[in-house]
Amino acid sequence: MPAIGENLRINGARLWDSLMEMAEIGPGVAGGNNRQTLTDEDSEGRHLFQSWCEAAGCTMGVDEIGNMFARREGTDPDALPVYVGSHLDTQPTGGKYDGVLGVLGGLEIIRTLNDLEINTKHPIVVTNWTNEEGTRFAPAMLASGVFAGKHTLDWANDRVDSDGKRFGDELERIGWKGSEKVGARKMHAMFELHIEQGPILEAENKDIGVVTHGQGLRWIECTITGKESHTGSTPMHMRKNAGRGLALLTELVHEIAMANQPGAVGAIGMIDVYPNSRNVIPGKVVFTVDMRTHLLDKLNAMVAEFNARAPKLCEDIGVEFSCEIIGQFDPPAFDEGCVGAVRAAAERLGYSHMDIISGAGHDACWINDLYPTAMVMCPCVDGLSHHEAEEISQEWATAGADVLMHAVVETAEIVG
Ligand code: HGY
Ligand code: MN
Ligand code: MN
């Protein structure tokens, strides 16, 4: 196999133009994106991605949960493909790069190999995973989780959003339910490029994060039931205020995370208050606890402490408590061979780099359970993400895609 030269570089301007064009679909209200999964905007972004892939000579496959697979042929059609991708869906207050950089970075590899007329033994498949964010339909990484056998397709299709719309119905409505069996595809390896979504790489002045591990995650959906009553005429001692329970458990989650520093996080992001009226004591509050750390024993201990203390705190103020896990994955350790290919690529290309643990969850975390997988990260400004002001530089995007291409091409084996 011919050596991969340090001059093998992507077209950074073309990648940046594609990022900006995709960002015009599903605009937010403050310069970012609101292209939530299975919306019309998601469908529009999918069509644009498919048109670009087909213009680059790829054939597109779509599975029963809407995962998209754009295949560039290799010289050995029987060789298992190298997959490279991420997600196009965004948070409601999303940025232009979370997920999108990984999908369009994969497409840029195809475009560059076409320009240079480079062939690889293994086919290369660029992937868009459905519903990575888990914001409209919980849990996160839903479709890659079905692909990895973590959820059944039926369970996924029955997930509902806050308007009661069913995942499977919305997938059919936007016309992106494919015919391929989910998980039938076999992989030689998979790589994912993603912005760090944290402050470390920028603070350390590094171009590239070589992701060795990720945090594990537990999403605990909690319901506190009190009693609606008048905020003016109900005496304080007669109140059953579910809102107080939320306040106490918000502080409990923070206290548990702080007690497990360094390297643990916890927050409550999604909250529904019923009836959410200014002059009614909240009768019910439904919310999701998000706890994470890269150490499995610590993660389980954090959840155990929450489960031990939350019911008592609610009982003491006269409200009822129940909860269930609605999303979880254990801390991943990525494939050492693939991680080594990422690290060697950064060194070959002369990019500053450091090993890093991913704070956020990614589709690669699930695929890593099945096939050799690794991630490449680039910095983001102030570590900000899941915010419309999420920003990266063209140089960072280019460096990340260069390293991604070298790792993918090395694994797919260049043919002279
Ligand atoms: O929640 C996560 O870590 C990812 O952004 N879905
Ligand atoms: Mn993401
Ligand atoms: Mn995200």
Side-chain angles (χ1 to χ4, degrees), residues 87 89 91 98 131-135 139-141 194 197 215 217 219 290 292 329 358-363 385-386:
H87 62 94
D89 66 307
Q91 288 284 333
D98 173 359
N131 189 33
E132 188 281 339
E133 290 294 356
T135 176
M141 301 124 67
H194 207 288
Q197 299 182 292
Q215 290 198 122
L217 169 149
W219 276 3
D290 179 322
R292 311 190 194 200
F329 58 88
S358 174
H362 304 284
D363 296 305
S385 183
H386 287 192

PDB file of all heavy atoms in Angstrom, residues 87 89 91 98 131-135 139-141 194 197 215 217 219 290 292 329 358-363 385-386, ligand 1:
ATOM      1  N   HIS A  87     -24.078  13.138  12.666  1.00  0.00           N
ATOM      2  CA  HIS A  87     -25.539  13.391  12.588  1.00  0.00           C
ATOM      3  C   HIS A  87     -25.826  14.799  12.077  1.00  0.00           C
ATOM      4  O   HIS A  87     -25.039  15.723  12.302  1.00  0.00           O
ATOM      5  CB  HIS A  87     -26.178  13.193  13.968  1.00  0.00           C
ATOM      6  CG  HIS A  87     -25.661  14.144  15.018  1.00  0.00           C
ATOM      7  ND1 HIS A  87     -26.275  15.349  15.322  1.00  0.00           N
ATOM      8  CD2 HIS A  87     -24.572  14.074  15.842  1.00  0.00           C
ATOM      9  CE1 HIS A  87     -25.599  15.973  16.282  1.00  0.00           C
ATOM     10  NE2 HIS A  87     -24.548  15.218  16.608  1.00  0.00           N
ATOM     11  N   ASP A  89     -29.060  16.152  12.638  1.00  0.00           N
ATOM     12  CA  ASP A  89     -30.098  16.769  13.468  1.00  0.00           C
ATOM     13  C   ASP A  89     -29.459  17.653  14.537  1.00  0.00           C
ATOM     14  O   ASP A  89     -28.332  17.420  14.950  1.00  0.00           O
ATOM     15  CB  ASP A  89     -31.001  15.710  14.133  1.00  0.00           C
ATOM     16  CG  ASP A  89     -30.263  14.848  15.162  1.00  0.00           C
ATOM     17  OD1 ASP A  89     -29.211  14.280  14.818  1.00  0.00           O
ATOM     18  OD2 ASP A  89     -30.771  14.751  16.306  1.00  0.00           O
ATOM     19  N   GLN A  91     -30.024  20.421  18.172  1.00  0.00           N
ATOM     20  CA  GLN A  91     -30.791  20.846  19.328  1.00  0.00           C
ATOM     21  C   GLN A  91     -31.718  21.994  18.895  1.00  0.00           C
ATOM     22  O   GLN A  91     -31.517  22.604  17.846  1.00  0.00           O
ATOM     23  CB  GLN A  91     -29.833  21.335  20.414  1.00  0.00           C
ATOM     24  CG  GLN A  91     -29.034  20.229  21.096  1.00  0.00           C
ATOM     25  CD  GLN A  91     -29.850  19.442  22.094  1.00  0.00           C
ATOM     26  OE1 GLN A  91     -30.826  19.937  22.678  1.00  0.00           O
ATOM     27  NE2 GLN A  91     -29.453  18.197  22.319  1.00  0.00           N
ATOM     28  N   ASP A  98     -22.143  20.984  15.478  1.00  0.00           N
ATOM     29  CA  ASP A  98     -22.391  19.765  16.270  1.00  0.00           C
ATOM     30  C   ASP A  98     -23.007  18.709  15.359  1.00  0.00           C
ATOM     31  O   ASP A  98     -24.132  18.872  14.889  1.00  0.00           O
ATOM     32  CB  ASP A  98     -23.343  20.132  17.418  1.00  0.00           C
ATOM     33  CG  ASP A  98     -23.816  18.926  18.212  1.00  0.00           C
ATOM     34  OD1 ASP A  98     -23.427  17.782  17.879  1.00  0.00           O
ATOM     35  OD2 ASP A  98     -24.581  19.134  19.160  1.00  0.00           O
ATOM     36  N   ASN A 131     -31.580  11.040  14.632  1.00  0.00           N
ATOM     37  CA  ASN A 131     -31.869  11.360  16.033  1.00  0.00           C
ATOM     38  C   ASN A 131     -30.715  11.075  16.977  1.00  0.00           C
ATOM     39  O   ASN A 131     -30.842  10.352  17.967  1.00  0.00           O
ATOM     40  CB  ASN A 131     -33.109  10.614  16.549  1.00  0.00           C
ATOM     41  CG  ASN A 131     -33.536  11.115  17.934  1.00  0.00           C
ATOM     42  OD1 ASN A 131     -33.376  12.298  18.246  1.00  0.00           O
ATOM     43  ND2 ASN A 131     -34.043  10.225  18.766  1.00  0.00           N
ATOM     44  N   GLU A 132     -29.565  11.710  16.701  1.00  0.00           N
ATOM     45  CA  GLU A 132     -28.465  11.573  17.669  1.00  0.00           C
ATOM     46  C   GLU A 132     -28.802  12.366  18.918  1.00  0.00           C
ATOM     47  O   GLU A 132     -28.490  11.976  20.038  1.00  0.00           O
ATOM     48  CB  GLU A 132     -27.172  12.081  17.051  1.00  0.00           C
ATOM     49  CG  GLU A 132     -25.921  11.825  17.883  1.00  0.00           C
ATOM     50  CD  GLU A 132     -25.754  12.823  19.026  1.00  0.00           C
ATOM     51  OE1 GLU A 132     -26.351  13.915  18.954  1.00  0.00           O
ATOM     52  OE2 GLU A 132     -25.070  12.490  20.003  1.00  0.00           O
ATOM     53  N   GLU A 133     -29.438  13.538  18.759  1.00  0.00           N
ATOM     54  CA  GLU A 133     -29.564  14.470  19.885  1.00  0.00           C
ATOM     55  C   GLU A 133     -30.509  13.974  20.976  1.00  0.00           C
ATOM     56  O   GLU A 133     -30.319  14.298  22.162  1.00  0.00           O
ATOM     57  CB  GLU A 133     -30.038  15.845  19.378  1.00  0.00           C
ATOM     58  CG  GLU A 133     -29.005  16.595  18.569  1.00  0.00           C
ATOM     59  CD  GLU A 133     -27.775  17.002  19.379  1.00  0.00           C
ATOM     60  OE1 GLU A 133     -27.753  16.778  20.594  1.00  0.00           O
ATOM     61  OE2 GLU A 133     -26.834  17.530  18.784  1.00  0.00           O
ATOM     62  N   GLY A 134     -31.557  13.275  20.643  1.00  0.00           N
ATOM     63  CA  GLY A 134     -32.466  12.803  21.687  1.00  0.00           C
ATOM     64  C   GLY A 134     -33.250  13.927  22.332  1.00  0.00           C
ATOM     65  O   GLY A 134     -33.833  13.763  23.408  1.00  0.00           O
ATOM     66  N   THR A 135     -33.298  15.087  21.687  1.00  0.00           N
ATOM     67  CA  THR A 135     -34.013  16.216  22.310  1.00  0.00           C
ATOM     68  C   THR A 135     -35.507  16.136  22.043  1.00  0.00           C
ATOM     69  O   THR A 135     -36.330  16.327  22.922  1.00  0.00           O
ATOM     70  CB  THR A 135     -33.461  17.572  21.822  1.00  0.00           C
ATOM     71  OG1 THR A 135     -34.242  18.629  22.374  1.00  0.00           O
ATOM     72  CG2 THR A 135     -33.486  17.686  20.310  1.00  0.00           C
ATOM     73  N   PRO A 139     -34.257   8.300  23.770  1.00  0.00           N
ATOM     74  CA  PRO A 139     -32.994   8.848  24.251  1.00  0.00           C
ATOM     75  C   PRO A 139     -32.123   9.374  23.124  1.00  0.00           C
ATOM     76  O   PRO A 139     -32.441   9.210  21.942  1.00  0.00           O
ATOM     77  CB  PRO A 139     -32.333   7.624  24.903  1.00  0.00           C
ATOM     78  CG  PRO A 139     -32.785   6.492  24.036  1.00  0.00           C
ATOM     79  CD  PRO A 139     -34.196   6.831  23.633  1.00  0.00           C
ATOM     80  N   ALA A 140     -30.988   9.929  23.485  1.00  0.00           N
ATOM     81  CA  ALA A 140     -29.987  10.351  22.508  1.00  0.00           C
ATOM     82  C   ALA A 140     -29.414   9.118  21.818  1.00  0.00           C
ATOM     83  O   ALA A 140     -29.484   8.002  22.321  1.00  0.00           O
ATOM     84  CB  ALA A 140     -28.861  11.130  23.219  1.00  0.00           C
ATOM     85  N   MET A 141     -28.848   9.351  20.617  1.00  0.00           N
ATOM     86  CA  MET A 141     -28.206   8.285  19.832  1.00  0.00           C
ATOM     87  C   MET A 141     -29.177   7.123  19.601  1.00  0.00           C
ATOM     88  O   MET A 141     -28.807   5.945  19.664  1.00  0.00           O
ATOM     89  CB  MET A 141     -26.919   7.799  20.499  1.00  0.00           C
ATOM     90  CG  MET A 141     -25.882   8.872  20.705  1.00  0.00           C
ATOM     91  SD  MET A 141     -25.407   8.995  22.430  1.00  0.00           S
ATOM     92  CE  MET A 141     -24.598   7.424  22.604  1.00  0.00           C
ATOM     93  N   HIS A 194     -15.899  15.240  15.368  1.00  0.00           N
ATOM     94  CA  HIS A 194     -16.891  16.039  16.110  1.00  0.00           C
ATOM     95  C   HIS A 194     -16.190  17.209  16.801  1.00  0.00           C
ATOM     96  O   HIS A 194     -15.033  17.114  17.198  1.00  0.00           O
ATOM     97  CB  HIS A 194     -17.585  15.167  17.164  1.00  0.00           C
ATOM     98  CG  HIS A 194     -18.961  15.618  17.523  1.00  0.00           C
ATOM     99  ND1 HIS A 194     -19.216  16.732  18.270  1.00  0.00           N
ATOM    100  CD2 HIS A 194     -20.178  15.119  17.193  1.00  0.00           C
ATOM    101  CE1 HIS A 194     -20.511  16.898  18.413  1.00  0.00           C
ATOM    102  NE2 HIS A 194     -21.131  15.927  17.772  1.00  0.00           N
ATOM    103  N   GLN A 197     -17.042  20.357  22.038  1.00  0.00           N
ATOM    104  CA  GLN A 197     -18.192  20.778  22.850  1.00  0.00           C
ATOM    105  C   GLN A 197     -17.765  21.047  24.305  1.00  0.00           C
ATOM    106  O   GLN A 197     -18.596  21.040  25.212  1.00  0.00           O
ATOM    107  CB  GLN A 197     -19.330  19.746  22.818  1.00  0.00           C
ATOM    108  CG  GLN A 197     -19.873  19.509  21.415  1.00  0.00           C
ATOM    109  CD  GLN A 197     -21.018  18.532  21.371  1.00  0.00           C
ATOM    110  OE1 GLN A 197     -20.855  17.346  21.624  1.00  0.00           O
ATOM    111  NE2 GLN A 197     -22.201  19.026  21.029  1.00  0.00           N
ATOM    112  N   GLN A 215     -17.414   9.629  28.227  1.00  0.00           N
ATOM    113  CA  GLN A 215     -18.173   9.519  29.486  1.00  0.00           C
ATOM    114  C   GLN A 215     -19.337   8.560  29.288  1.00  0.00           C
ATOM    115  O   GLN A 215     -19.886   8.463  28.204  1.00  0.00           O
ATOM    116  CB  GLN A 215     -18.716  10.899  29.897  1.00  0.00           C
ATOM    117  CG  GLN A 215     -17.664  11.871  30.354  1.00  0.00           C
ATOM    118  CD  GLN A 215     -18.259  13.028  31.139  1.00  0.00           C
ATOM    119  OE1 GLN A 215     -17.897  13.255  32.294  1.00  0.00           O
ATOM    120  NE2 GLN A 215     -19.175  13.768  30.548  1.00  0.00           N
ATOM    121  N   LEU A 217     -23.314   7.707  30.472  1.00  0.00           N
ATOM    122  CA  LEU A 217     -24.480   8.589  30.663  1.00  0.00           C
ATOM    123  C   LEU A 217     -25.631   7.822  31.286  1.00  0.00           C
ATOM    124  O   LEU A 217     -25.837   6.638  30.982  1.00  0.00           O
ATOM    125  CB  LEU A 217     -24.895   9.140  29.291  1.00  0.00           C
ATOM    126  CG  LEU A 217     -26.226   9.878  29.131  1.00  0.00           C
ATOM    127  CD1 LEU A 217     -26.127  10.937  28.043  1.00  0.00           C
ATOM    128  CD2 LEU A 217     -27.368   8.914  28.789  1.00  0.00           C
ATOM    129  N   TRP A 219     -29.773   8.854  31.871  1.00  0.00           N
ATOM    130  CA  TRP A 219     -30.905   9.795  31.823  1.00  0.00           C
ATOM    131  C   TRP A 219     -32.016   9.192  32.681  1.00  0.00           C
ATOM    132  O   TRP A 219     -32.536   8.092  32.376  1.00  0.00           O
ATOM    133  CB  TRP A 219     -31.393  10.005  30.402  1.00  0.00           C
ATOM    134  CG  TRP A 219     -30.618  11.039  29.630  1.00  0.00           C
ATOM    135  CD1 TRP A 219     -29.518  11.734  30.053  1.00  0.00           C
ATOM    136  CD2 TRP A 219     -30.892  11.511  28.300  1.00  0.00           C
ATOM    137  NE1 TRP A 219     -29.091  12.590  29.063  1.00  0.00           N
ATOM    138  CE2 TRP A 219     -29.920  12.479  27.978  1.00  0.00           C
ATOM    139  CE3 TRP A 219     -31.859  11.197  27.355  1.00  0.00           C
ATOM    140  CZ2 TRP A 219     -29.889  13.146  26.762  1.00  0.00           C
ATOM    141  CZ3 TRP A 219     -31.837  11.862  26.127  1.00  0.00           C
ATOM    142  CH2 TRP A 219     -30.856  12.823  25.841  1.00  0.00           C
ATOM    143  N   ASP A 290     -29.657  14.246  34.036  1.00  0.00           N
ATOM    144  CA  ASP A 290     -28.569  13.820  33.140  1.00  0.00           C
ATOM    145  C   ASP A 290     -27.300  13.736  33.983  1.00  0.00           C
ATOM    146  O   ASP A 290     -26.806  14.763  34.456  1.00  0.00           O
ATOM    147  CB  ASP A 290     -28.404  14.857  32.010  1.00  0.00           C
ATOM    148  CG  ASP A 290     -27.273  14.526  31.036  1.00  0.00           C
ATOM    149  OD1 ASP A 290     -26.218  14.022  31.469  1.00  0.00           O
ATOM    150  OD2 ASP A 290     -27.441  14.788  29.822  1.00  0.00           O
ATOM    151  N   ARG A 292     -23.279  12.083  34.238  1.00  0.00           N
ATOM    152  CA  ARG A 292     -22.235  11.488  33.409  1.00  0.00           C
ATOM    153  C   ARG A 292     -20.878  11.490  34.137  1.00  0.00           C
ATOM    154  O   ARG A 292     -20.594  12.390  34.934  1.00  0.00           O
ATOM    155  CB  ARG A 292     -22.050  12.268  32.104  1.00  0.00           C
ATOM    156  CG  ARG A 292     -23.337  12.544  31.368  1.00  0.00           C
ATOM    157  CD  ARG A 292     -23.098  13.076  30.003  1.00  0.00           C
ATOM    158  NE  ARG A 292     -24.327  13.645  29.456  1.00  0.00           N
ATOM    159  CZ  ARG A 292     -24.540  13.854  28.168  1.00  0.00           C
ATOM    160  NH1 ARG A 292     -23.602  13.530  27.289  1.00  0.00           N
ATOM    161  NH2 ARG A 292     -25.670  14.361  27.731  1.00  0.00           N
ATOM    162  N   PHE A 329     -25.735   4.690  28.562  1.00  0.00           N
ATOM    163  CA  PHE A 329     -24.655   3.887  27.994  1.00  0.00           C
ATOM    164  C   PHE A 329     -23.448   4.010  28.913  1.00  0.00           C
ATOM    165  O   PHE A 329     -23.288   5.017  29.609  1.00  0.00           O
ATOM    166  CB  PHE A 329     -24.298   4.295  26.553  1.00  0.00           C
ATOM    167  CG  PHE A 329     -23.874   5.719  26.361  1.00  0.00           C
ATOM    168  CD1 PHE A 329     -22.539   6.099  26.504  1.00  0.00           C
ATOM    169  CD2 PHE A 329     -24.811   6.698  26.032  1.00  0.00           C
ATOM    170  CE1 PHE A 329     -22.140   7.413  26.312  1.00  0.00           C
ATOM    171  CE2 PHE A 329     -24.417   8.026  25.838  1.00  0.00           C
ATOM    172  CZ  PHE A 329     -23.088   8.387  25.984  1.00  0.00           C
ATOM    173  N   SER A 358     -14.148  12.188  25.670  1.00  0.00           N
ATOM    174  CA  SER A 358     -15.297  12.946  25.167  1.00  0.00           C
ATOM    175  C   SER A 358     -16.311  13.177  26.296  1.00  0.00           C
ATOM    176  O   SER A 358     -16.787  12.228  26.919  1.00  0.00           O
ATOM    177  CB  SER A 358     -15.982  12.201  24.016  1.00  0.00           C
ATOM    178  OG  SER A 358     -17.170  12.906  23.653  1.00  0.00           O
ATOM    179  N   GLY A 359     -16.650  14.434  26.534  1.00  0.00           N
ATOM    180  CA  GLY A 359     -17.669  14.748  27.538  1.00  0.00           C
ATOM    181  C   GLY A 359     -19.064  14.427  27.026  1.00  0.00           C
ATOM    182  O   GLY A 359     -19.934  13.988  27.774  1.00  0.00           O
ATOM    183  N   ALA A 360     -19.276  14.639  25.734  1.00  0.00           N
ATOM    184  CA  ALA A 360     -20.601  14.400  25.150  1.00  0.00           C
ATOM    185  C   ALA A 360     -20.702  12.973  24.630  1.00  0.00           C
ATOM    186  O   ALA A 360     -19.697  12.294  24.395  1.00  0.00           O
ATOM    187  CB  ALA A 360     -20.838  15.375  23.994  1.00  0.00           C
ATOM    188  N   GLY A 361     -21.924  12.518  24.459  1.00  0.00           N
ATOM    189  CA  GLY A 361     -22.166  11.217  23.850  1.00  0.00           C
ATOM    190  C   GLY A 361     -22.207  11.365  22.331  1.00  0.00           C
ATOM    191  O   GLY A 361     -22.505  12.439  21.812  1.00  0.00           O
ATOM    192  N   HIS A 362     -21.877  10.294  21.626  1.00  0.00           N
ATOM    193  CA  HIS A 362     -21.853  10.323  20.158  1.00  0.00           C
ATOM    194  C   HIS A 362     -22.276   8.970  19.610  1.00  0.00           C
ATOM    195  O   HIS A 362     -22.163   7.946  20.297  1.00  0.00           O
ATOM    196  CB  HIS A 362     -20.448  10.664  19.653  1.00  0.00           C
ATOM    197  CG  HIS A 362     -19.915  11.949  20.202  1.00  0.00           C
ATOM    198  ND1 HIS A 362     -20.322  13.179  19.751  1.00  0.00           N
ATOM    199  CD2 HIS A 362     -19.024  12.191  21.205  1.00  0.00           C
ATOM    200  CE1 HIS A 362     -19.715  14.125  20.445  1.00  0.00           C
ATOM    201  NE2 HIS A 362     -18.919  13.560  21.339  1.00  0.00           N
ATOM    202  N   ASP A 363     -22.697   8.948  18.347  1.00  0.00           N
ATOM    203  CA  ASP A 363     -23.077   7.677  17.723  1.00  0.00           C
ATOM    204  C   ASP A 363     -21.916   6.690  17.754  1.00  0.00           C
ATOM    205  O   ASP A 363     -22.111   5.468  17.882  1.00  0.00           O
ATOM    206  CB  ASP A 363     -23.534   7.930  16.287  1.00  0.00           C
ATOM    207  CG  ASP A 363     -24.798   8.792  16.233  1.00  0.00           C
ATOM    208  OD1 ASP A 363     -25.796   8.390  16.874  1.00  0.00           O
ATOM    209  OD2 ASP A 363     -24.783   9.859  15.590  1.00  0.00           O
ATOM    210  N   SER A 385     -21.305  24.764  23.234  1.00  0.00           N
ATOM    211  CA  SER A 385     -22.087  23.969  22.277  1.00  0.00           C
ATOM    212  C   SER A 385     -23.493  23.798  22.853  1.00  0.00           C
ATOM    213  O   SER A 385     -23.756  24.139  24.002  1.00  0.00           O
ATOM    214  CB  SER A 385     -21.417  22.608  22.056  1.00  0.00           C
ATOM    215  OG  SER A 385     -22.131  21.860  21.084  1.00  0.00           O
ATOM    216  N   HIS A 386     -24.409  23.260  22.008  1.00  0.00           N
ATOM    217  CA  HIS A 386     -25.830  23.240  22.388  1.00  0.00           C
ATOM    218  C   HIS A 386     -26.253  24.659  22.736  1.00  0.00           C
ATOM    219  O   HIS A 386     -27.005  24.908  23.682  1.00  0.00           O
ATOM    220  CB  HIS A 386     -26.107  22.255  23.534  1.00  0.00           C
ATOM    221  CG  HIS A 386     -26.040  20.831  23.089  1.00  0.00           C
ATOM    222  ND1 HIS A 386     -26.470  19.777  23.849  1.00  0.00           N
ATOM    223  CD2 HIS A 386     -25.606  20.275  21.943  1.00  0.00           C
ATOM    224  CE1 HIS A 386     -26.305  18.642  23.196  1.00  0.00           C
ATOM    225  NE2 HIS A 386     -25.763  18.919  22.038  1.00  0.00           N
TER     226      HIS A 386
HETATM  227  O1  HGY B   1     -26.174  14.331  24.907  1.00  0.00           O
HETATM  228  C1  HGY B   1     -25.136  14.266  24.245  1.00  0.00           C
HETATM  229  O2  HGY B   1     -24.054  14.099  24.767  1.00  0.00           O
HETATM  230  C2  HGY B   1     -25.197  14.419  22.744  1.00  0.00           C
HETATM  231  O3  HGY B   1     -25.079  15.776  22.441  1.00  0.00           O
HETATM  232  N1  HGY B   1     -26.420  13.899  22.217  1.00  0.00           N
END
